Amino acid sequence: MKLWEDKVRRTVPYTPGEQPQGTNLIKLNTNENPYPPAPGVEAVKNTMDTGRLRLYPDPSAGVLVDALAEYYHVGKDQVFVGVGSDDVLSVAFLTFFNSQKPVLFPDITYSFYPVWADIYRIPYETRPLDEDFRIRPQDYYGDNGGIVFPNPNAPTACYESLETVEEILKHNRDVVVIVDEAYIDFAGDGKSALKLLDKYDNLLVVQTFSKSRSMAGLRIGYAMGCPELIRAMNDVKYSINSYTMNLPSLLMGAEAVKDKAYFETCVAKIKATREKTKERLAALGFEFPDSQANFIFAKHPDYEGKELFEALRRQSIFVRYFDKPRIDQYLRITVGTDEQMDVLMKFFEEYMA
């Protein structure tokens, strides 16, 4: 061992979804949107004055904060933006989970949560989802250092009602509760926890442009909460890196928010494709929770999950497989275009014939 190695901070890193390269492949493994961003995003790319790139971007991200505040009918002082929701969540962990009490989150959830907890030396405990992969609110009662969970959940795609979310908030007024809503726009009639912001000053709602707004490559995430929460997050951000958002992301993000009609059309197409795919998977004998996201978490009683994953991969069809307890028989299948899902279903039909 080198003399300095015992001073290196060690952690088990998050494993991102594979980004396969090449043509003639079906990529359904990272929950990206199969449709392009709003037309206004392309217009910004074509008309932006590249001379502005020699200057630092606005550290307050004003143009994007303003657009989000107007869209969601909240104050500008209630919006925080960052480099994807991962950056926003990381800052939130660092800002709010600052006691010796354990932070709580589900045992089956977004696998970045334990990574942030480890790297920031935050104690944490997981709470098991029930046999249907649902949160039991009573598991989050009692002394803790904060709570975070996705809604809809990843990778299960289950949506928890606002009543469940509020039940958790009611019993945890002395800590910050983070609701990670990366997939909320796909949740059928599911309501965002944003409806509870005026009632609970300890609620932070995190969303992203990566899924429903087709902008994963630009890395835009945001959080909304009471002004005091947002001010605390900005204080931490300005203590790390003042210029987190680049200029193209700010301008393109603002344009994407303005085009509500295009956004709603794309989301509707994905939801329609998801429902058709659920019917076709069920007809083949697949089992899955009722998906309220842009992916389906499915297993088949007659086939091993890893077997199906590897067989699909050999045909250049990429889905996500998690070799973890309780979920190692499941595939997480992103909802692509109708044409992509037809290729997927044809493979399953022939493989299981």
Side-chain angles (χ1 to χ4, degrees):
M1 178 178 285
K2 296 179 177 67
L3 294 176
W4 49 266
E5 283 190 284
D6 63 342
K7 301 176 181 64
V8 173
R9 175 162 288 186
R10 307 286 183 183
T11 190
V12 178
Y14 170 75
T15 303
E18 183 180 4
Q19 294 291 338
Q21 304 299 313
T23 56
N24 299 318
L25 57 84
I26 305 293
K27 188 174 183 298
L28 306 173
N29 66 326
T30 49
N31 299 342
E32 293 146 328
N33 194 312
Y35 302 107
V41 173
E42 184 74 14
V44 170
K45 185 187 76 171
N46 293 333
T47 61
M48 189 178 66
D49 176 9
T50 55
R52 295 174 65 185
L53 296 180
R54 68 183 181 82
L55 304 173
Y56 285 110
D58 174 12
S60 72
V63 65
L64 183 54
V65 167
D66 290 353
L68 288 166
E70 181 177 355
Y71 184 86
Y72 289 105
H73 307 293
V74 297
K76 298 173 186 178
D77 58 355
Q78 291 183 270
V79 180
F80 176 93
V81 300
V83 186
S85 60
D86 288 340
D87 178 48
V88 174
L89 286 162
S90 177
V91 172
F93 267 60
L94 192 57
T95 305
F96 302 121
F97 298 159
N98 193 33
S99 76
Q100 298 306 308
K101 299 173 185 177
V103 170
L104 307 181
F105 47 81
D107 64 334
I108 301 170
T109 193
Y110 186 31
S111 52
F112 226 141
Y113 297 161
V115 175
W116 287 314
D118 284 340
I119 199 71
Y120 295 140
R121 303 297 188 260
I122 299 168
Y124 71 90
E125 294 177 2
T126 61
R127 295 290 185 259
L129 299 176
D130 69 16
E131 63 275 8
D132 296 318
F133 295 144
R134 309 311 296 258
I135 285 177
R136 292 176 289 219
Q138 62 270 24
D139 290 346
Y140 295 84
Y141 299 173
D143 219 17
N144 64 74
I147 293 169
V148 58
F149 58 92
N151 195 31
N153 193 17
T156 66
C158 295
Y159 170 79
E160 302 292 349
S161 69
L162 275 189
E163 288 75 20
T164 296
V165 175
E166 186 163 17
E167 191 69 17
I168 292 171
L169 283 160
K170 283 179 181 177
H171 287 84
N172 291 279
R173 295 307 306 269
D174 60 336
V175 297
V176 173
V177 176
I178 302 174
V179 183
D180 181 0
E181 292 188 340
Y183 303 100
I184 192 64
D185 295 317
F186 304 105
D189 295 328
K191 296 180 175 64
S192 168
L194 288 171
K195 293 184 177 293
L196 301 174
L197 279 187
D198 291 340
K199 199 170 179 181
Y200 296 94
D201 60 4
N202 61 323
L203 169 63
L204 188 76
V205 178
V206 178
Q207 296 188 11
T208 179
F209 280 54
S210 296
K211 316 301 180 185
S212 56
R213 295 193 183 276
S214 309
M215 296 174 73
L218 280 175
R219 313 305 302 128
I220 304 173
Y222 53 105
M224 289 169 282
C226 76
E228 290 78 12
L229 292 185
I230 301 305
R231 188 178 308 117
M233 290 182 70
N234 275 315
D235 286 347
V236 170
K237 183 194 86 163
Y238 286 130
S239 300
I240 299 171
N241 179 7
S242 300
Y243 303 103
T244 54
M245 295 293 296
N246 66 70
L247 178 62
S249 291
L250 291 173
L251 298 178
M252 293 181 189
E255 284 302 315
V257 173
K258 294 174 185 176
D259 198 337
K260 185 177 181 182
Y262 181 85
F263 163 74
E264 290 178 344
T265 297
C266 285
V267 168
K269 285 197 290 187
I270 291 170
K271 288 162 69 172
T273 302
R274 178 189 68 198
E275 296 308 305
K276 286 188 290 187
T277 304
K278 284 158 64 173
E279 291 178 5
R280 295 173 73 179
L281 287 170
L284 285 176
F286 279 91
E287 301 170 356
F288 46 87
D290 182 29
S291 171
Q292 294 297 302
N294 68 334
F295 59 90
I296 301 167
F297 195 55
K299 69 174 182 177
H300 198 288
D302 299 329
Y303 297 88
E304 294 288 319
K306 192 170 185 180
E307 172 195 343
L308 291 175
F309 167 74
E310 292 175 345
L312 285 162
R313 202 174 192 280
R314 288 193 292 270
Q315 298 300 313
S316 296
I317 303 173
F318 293 83
V319 298
R320 192 78 188 266
Y321 172 73
F322 300 92
D323 190 7
K324 294 182 176 181
R326 297 185 67 191
I327 60 172
D328 60 353
Q329 294 305 312
Y330 285 83
L331 302 177
R332 194 193 69 188
I333 304 167
T334 302
V335 176
T337 62
D338 284 335
E339 293 76 16
Q340 289 174 321
M341 305 316 284
D342 285 342
V343 174
L344 174 76
M345 296 309 305
K346 182 180 178 183
F347 167 84
F348 282 141
E349 289 162 0
E350 293 177 352
Y351 192 83
M352 297 174 179

